[in-house]
Amino acid sequence: ELTAEEIARVVGTVEGGTANVADVYPLAPLQEGLLFHHLLAHDEDDAYVMPVVMEFSSRERLDAFLDALQKVIDRHDILRTGIVWDGLSQPVQAVWRKAELPVHEVALDPNDSDPVQQLLTGVGLSMNLDRAPLISTHIAPVPEDERWVALVRMHHIVQDHTALEVVLAELDAFLIGRGGDLPDPLPFRDFVAQARSGADTEGQERYFAELLGDVTEGTAPFGALDVRGDGSGVVRAQVPFAPELDARLREVSRRLGASAATVMHVAWARALATMSGREDVVFGTVLFGRMNAGAASERVPGPFMNTLPVRVRTGDMGVLDAVSAVRGQLAELLEHEHAPLALAIQASGMTGNSPLFSSLFNYRHNTEPAAEPVAVTSTEPWDGPVGGIRTLFTRELTNYPLAVSVDDDGDAIGLAVDAVSPIDPEAVGVLVRTAAENLVSALELALDGGPQAPLSTVEVLDDARRRQVLVDWNDTAVEVGSSSLSGLFEAQVGRTPGAVAVV
C-alpha cells in the first residue's frame, strides 16, 4: 500500500538499491512499540540492544563463529531486515537479499584488566535501525595472549527469547558441520501477514475500551513513572521460593483448575497494590506470541512476544473470585495477543503523557528442553562440542523501572526482579513471595470450606519487614530535659527565634 515515492524512499535505504531489496512488509505489533521507544532514545543507548560478550581461544575459533553467524543471517528474512519509517505513511521492514555482518576490530587497553567493560563502554548500545542486519560485532585481541573477545549486539526488534534460542541452535549446527541438516527456514513475513490479516481491530478496541476505558491514572509502584529509560541503572535480585511453597502453589492451582501463572498474577497484583497505594491496578504482562502464530512458529526467528495490560481490582474481590477473574482475563487476552500496546493505551481513559503502567510481569516456563547442541551459550571455559568459545557477559534490559519475572523450571520456582533505583529489587521480590505464600494459604482455607478472605487482606509483609516498619523505623524516642511544655517552647524560641512557630 506504499506510494511510488514511499517505495523509492525504502529502496534508497537498502545497500545496493533495488537489486538488493528482497521484500517489504509492515511491522509486527511488538516491533511498533520498540520502534517508538527507539525514537524516544534519540541516538542514545537503547534498552533493547542486547549485548553479549564472548571469548575465543584463538582467531581461528572467532573466524569460525563469525562465519557461522553470517550463514544464520543468510537463512532468515528477519535477520536481514532494516526498519524504515522516515517519510512513510506507516513504518515497514525492508528485507535485504544480502546483509553482511558488520565486524569492527578495536584495540583493548593493556593496562585495563576488564575487557568486557571496555567493549561495553567503548561501543555503547545504540544502533541504526534502518541498516541490516540488526546484528553487529566488535572484536579485539586480548593483549599479550592468543585469545580474542567479541561484543555481539542484537536488537530486540528482530528477535525475542525463543528466536535467540533458534539462532544459537543454528550457530552450533554450523560450527560442528551440521548446517546442511537444518530444516528449510520459514519467513517471518508469514507471521506478520497472519497477525495483521487475522486481527479484529474493532474487536480489540472494544475489548480494551471495556477493560480500561475508565482508567484515568496510571499504576506506578513507588511512584516510578519513567518508562523511557535505557535500562542502564537496572539492578537484578534473585528471590527463590522454598520447595514447600512451590509444591503448595502447584497443588492449589490444580484444585482451582487454574495455572500457577494465573495465581502468581493475582499475587503480583496484590503486591503491586501495596507498592502503588492503589486497590485498582494495571500492569503489563508478557505474552509468548506464538500460541496462535501458525505451525512451526517455534523455529522462526523474530519478535513474536508482546506486552499487553492486565487490570485487577484488588479491593473488590475475594481470593477465589480474584483467581477466577484473572484466569478469564488472561484467556481473553490470548485472543488479542497480537494487538499493539498503543491500541490498548489509546482505548483507555488516559490522557497526556503519563504511562498506563510502569511495571511488567512475566511468567516464564523454562521447562522446554534446550536446543542441542548449545556450545556457544556455555559459561564454562572451552566447553561444548566445538570448544574454544565461552560467554563472558550477557544482559537483557527493559525501559520499565520495575520488571518481575517468575522462572518456572518445572520442579522449582523463583523470582528475578529488575529495578531502577531507588526501588530495591530484593525487597520487591520478598514482598511478592510473601504475597504468594499468604495468597496460597487463603486459597487453601477457602477450598477446604473456610471463609473466602478478601484479596485486599492478604498480607505482603513477612515478620522481619513488619517489625522493621512498625518497630525499628518507629524507634524515634529521644531524651528530653525535664520542663513544662511552655518551657520547652520558650527554649526553642531562644535557639531559633526566626523559625516558623505554627503551621
Side-chain angles (χ1 to χ4, degrees):
E1 298 179 0
L2 298 182
T3 66
E5 181 182 355
E6 289 178 315
I7 291 172
R9 283 181 176 272
V10 174
V11 171
T13 68
V14 176
E15 189 176 278
T18 307
N20 200 25
V21 179
D23 204 352
V24 177
Y25 51 88
L27 271 59
L30 178 64
Q31 291 176 306
E32 293 180 1
L34 294 177
L35 174 59
F36 178 68
H37 182 268
H38 173 80
L39 295 176
L40 291 175
H42 298 301
D43 297 325
E44 298 175 358
D45 281 353
D46 190 335
Y48 293 102
V49 174
M50 191 183 81
V52 180
V53 179
M54 307 180 71
E55 185 180 54
F56 302 84
S57 59
S58 65
R59 180 60 196 250
E60 289 72 24
R61 279 285 92 211
L62 171 60
D63 288 341
F65 170 81
L66 296 174
D67 180 64
L69 183 53
Q70 181 65 63
K71 289 176 179 176
V72 175
I73 292 170
D74 293 342
R75 280 173 49 82
H76 297 287
D77 61 346
I78 186 62
L79 300 183
R80 304 191 312 278
T81 290
I83 311 298
V84 186
W85 63 89
D86 189 27
L88 304 183
S89 56
Q90 63 171 320
V92 297
Q93 38 198 340
V95 180
W96 300 23
R97 296 186 189 280
K98 184 64 178 176
E100 293 289 341
L101 173 68
V103 180
H104 308 281
E105 184 170 337
V106 298
L108 298 178
D109 182 354
N111 298 316
D112 188 335
S113 61
D114 189 351
V116 172
Q117 197 57 41
Q118 283 193 67
L119 286 172
L120 292 174
T121 57
V123 176
L125 297 179
S126 175
M127 296 184 77
N128 185 358
L129 292 191
D130 64 8
R131 305 294 296 172
L134 291 179
I135 307 173
S136 69
T137 59
H138 290 75
I139 65 174
V142 177
E144 301 180 0
D145 202 314
E146 293 184 358
R147 293 173 298 145
W148 284 70
V149 289
L151 168 63
V152 181
R153 302 182 306 162
M154 190 172 186
H155 203 285
H156 192 31
I157 207 165
V158 295
Q159 55 88 21
D160 58 19
H161 184 76
T162 301
L164 186 59
E165 291 180 348
V166 172
V167 170
L168 290 173
E170 292 197 0
L171 269 171
D172 286 331
F174 282 114
L175 284 169
I176 62 175
R178 293 199 342 228
D181 297 335
L182 293 171
D184 291 338
L186 299 174
F188 183 66
R189 72 163 350 269
D190 289 355
F191 160 68
V192 176
Q194 179 174 327
R196 295 180 70 93
S197 64
D200 176 10
T201 303
E202 291 184 1
Q204 292 171 351
E205 290 175 344
R206 259 193 323 271
Y207 169 75
F208 288 112
E210 290 174 2
L211 179 67
L212 305 166
D214 61 340
V215 176
T216 58
E217 183 179 349
T219 302
F222 305 107
L225 284 168
D226 184 10
V227 294
R228 299 181 178 180
D230 62 7
S232 59
V234 167
V235 176
R236 168 166 290 188
Q238 303 281 353
V239 179
F241 279 21
E244 179 190 6
L245 175 56
D246 176 51
R248 290 173 59 209
L249 171 62
R250 297 183 195 278
E251 175 60 17
V252 81
S253 301
R254 184 193 63 77
R255 294 176 65 187
L256 288 165
S259 66
T262 297
V263 176
M264 284 303 303
H265 272 75
V266 176
W268 163 245
R270 174 66 188 110
L272 180 60
T274 299
M275 291 183 278
S276 60
R278 300 173 56 86
E279 291 189 336
D280 186 355
V281 298
V282 179
F283 57 90
T285 189
V286 179
L287 300 168
F288 186 50
R290 297 175 188 251
M291 302 292 286
N292 303 306
S297 62
E298 72 282 354
R299 61 182 180 88
V300 181
F304 286 73
M305 296 176 73
N306 200 6
T307 298
L308 289 173
V310 171
R311 181 182 186 182
V312 183
R313 296 172 175 87
T314 65
D316 295 345
M317 296 179 289
V319 290
L320 293 177
D321 297 334
V323 172
S324 178
V326 170
R327 177 176 53 195
Q329 189 176 157
L330 293 176
E332 288 183 293
L333 209 56
L334 282 178
E335 298 179 17
H336 304 291
E337 68 174 343
H338 297 143
L341 176 58
L343 180 149
I345 295 174
Q346 290 165 4
S348 73
M350 296 292 296
T351 58
N353 295 322
S354 296
L356 177 63
F357 56 84
S358 61
S359 63
L360 288 185
F361 187 76
N362 185 10
Y363 195 98
R364 302 189 291 207
H365 296 274
N366 301 330
T367 55
E368 292 297 321
E372 293 292 346
V374 289
V376 296
T377 62
S378 172
T379 57
E380 296 300 320
W382 326 132
D383 196 15
V386 294
I389 303 173
R390 66 170 175 170
T391 301
L392 298 179
F393 173 89
T394 184
R395 180 176 63 192
E396 292 186 66
L397 300 175
T398 175
N399 59 296
Y400 290 93
L402 178 60
V404 174
S405 297
V406 181
D407 288 312
D408 185 344
D409 297 328
D411 56 359
I413 285 180
L415 302 174
V417 183
D418 294 315
V420 175
S421 179
I423 300 175
D424 180 350
E426 177 78 21
V428 170
V430 174
L431 287 177
V432 177
R433 182 178 63 189
T434 304
E437 187 168 14
N438 290 326
L439 174 62
V440 167
S441 296
L443 291 170
E444 290 171 336
L445 178 63
L447 288 171
D448 290 338
Q452 179 182 186
L455 178 59
S456 59
T457 64
V458 172
E459 295 288 350
V460 300
L461 291 177
D462 60 12
D463 291 341
R465 278 166 176 74
R466 176 172 291 279
R467 177 177 177 80
Q468 183 183 42
V469 171
L470 298 181
V471 179
D472 297 345
W473 287 349
N474 281 317
D475 185 12
T476 58
V478 294
E479 288 293 330
V480 178
S482 59
S483 176
S484 64
L485 180 60
S486 58
L488 292 172
F489 186 84
E490 182 179 4
Q492 179 69 5
V493 170
R495 287 191 296 271
T496 57
V500 173
V502 177
V503 175

